[in-house]
Amino acid sequence: MSTMQCALVVDDLPAVRAGFVELLRENYPGARIFEAGRMADAMQILQSEPVDLLLVDLGLPDASGLELIRTMAEIRPQARSVVVTIFDDDDHLFPALQAGAFGYLLKDRPKIELRAQLRRIQDGEPPLSPSIARRMVQHFTHLRHDQSAPSSNLPQEEHIALTERESEVLQRVGKGYTLPEIAVQLGLSRHTVADYVKQIYRKLNISSRAEAALEAVRRGLVR
């Protein structure tokens, strides 16, 4: 993601909005930041401002935050949507990811953790609260164990060969390591790792860490 220029924070609680506005200003000085407490107000801002980052609660007074995420994906496909919520269960997490959410943060986490997670967006890495990342890996691990169909029935991506280095990078992405952490572990520059990630995404026709984690599990790289 290029430098974030315009963000929108959507939550019906003014104190919560103010907290995330402050975190965004700390991480992205100079960016224009808008806020809204309702879906209707947020839609007006999306239609009139070049928003490239959306932080949205799932439970809005006049609609589900999922609707806003879907709308964002349609009108600004290059932008990022991040859920900020109190819900850490599968019934909220996976519908949000399917709707197009790039990240998922629990707003009761410490401020220092939220600040660090939001900073990851600049490197193209999804902000995920630790418990959410673990839940995703567990889900994909269970999914792999439940699959009993012959290999010929598996998706085509399963048969796409990766180089040894690409597999090493995918394994670490699946385990939730950041690009700088992977770079240190493999003795590469962060930009080289980023290039590997782009190449892996292109080969496997995926576009998110959630999908990358699933592929890592399917290939036996993450157990």
Side-chain angles (χ1 to χ4, degrees):
M1 180 182 181
S2 59
T3 302
M4 197 273 289
Q5 300 291 334
C6 184
L8 171 59
V9 180
V10 186
D11 194 293
D12 61 325
L13 299 177
V16 173
R17 291 202 307 272
F20 278 102
V21 167
E22 178 184 358
L23 290 173
L24 288 175
R25 291 198 190 283
E26 293 173 357
N27 278 337
Y28 304 100
R32 293 191 300 150
I33 302 176
F34 297 88
E35 54 182 289
R38 300 171 61 86
M39 170 79 165
D41 298 330
M43 283 298 300
Q44 290 183 353
I45 295 173
L46 284 183
Q47 296 291 345
S48 61
E49 301 293 340
V51 176
D52 46 28
L53 175 61
L54 169 69
L55 302 187
V56 59
D57 187 17
L58 293 177
L60 301 175
D62 55 340
S64 166
L66 294 179
E67 295 182 32
L68 199 56
I69 294 172
R70 294 189 187 101
T71 300
M72 183 76 156
E74 291 175 1
I75 66 176
R76 302 194 187 283
Q78 301 305 316
R80 304 295 197 188
S81 296
V82 177
V83 172
V84 290
T85 182
I86 60 173
F87 300 112
D88 65 349
D89 57 281
D90 290 0
D91 290 340
H92 289 88
L93 169 61
F94 292 104
L97 296 177
Q98 292 169 353
F102 177 67
Y104 197 102
L105 296 174
L106 300 178
K107 49 188 172 181
D108 60 353
R109 300 299 300 166
K111 181 177 179 180
I112 188 173
E113 178 184 306
L114 292 173
R115 182 188 298 112
Q117 289 291 341
L118 290 172
R119 192 177 301 123
R120 299 178 64 182
I121 299 173
Q122 192 66 48
D123 292 325
E125 301 176 24
L128 296 168
S129 292
S131 63
I132 295 301
R134 289 193 296 270
R135 183 176 292 277
M136 290 170 62
V137 171
Q138 290 170 357
H139 173 82
F140 294 141
T141 300
H142 293 158
L143 181 63
R144 176 173 178 261
H145 289 164
D146 289 342
Q147 290 176 334
S148 58
S151 59
S152 60
N153 292 332
L154 291 177
Q156 183 64 29
E157 290 83 355
E158 181 72 18
H159 304 291
I160 296 175
L162 297 178
T163 67
E164 181 178 354
R165 180 65 84 187
E166 289 169 346
S167 295
E168 291 174 338
V169 172
L170 178 60
Q171 178 188 51
R172 286 160 175 80
V173 170
K175 289 183 175 181
Y177 290 109
T178 65
L179 295 188
E181 289 171 338
I182 297 173
V184 171
Q185 291 175 15
L186 298 180
L188 303 171
S189 71
R190 185 178 68 81
H191 294 297
T192 299
V193 173
D195 287 340
Y196 273 117
V197 171
K198 291 178 183 178
Q199 186 170 320
I200 291 167
Y201 280 21
R202 187 163 48 247
K203 272 189 174 183
L204 302 181
N205 193 28
I206 59 178
S207 59
S208 70
R209 279 210 168 212
E211 293 174 298
L214 175 57
E215 287 296 334
V217 170
R218 282 177 172 172
R219 292 166 182 267
L221 301 174
V222 177
R223 301 182 184 280

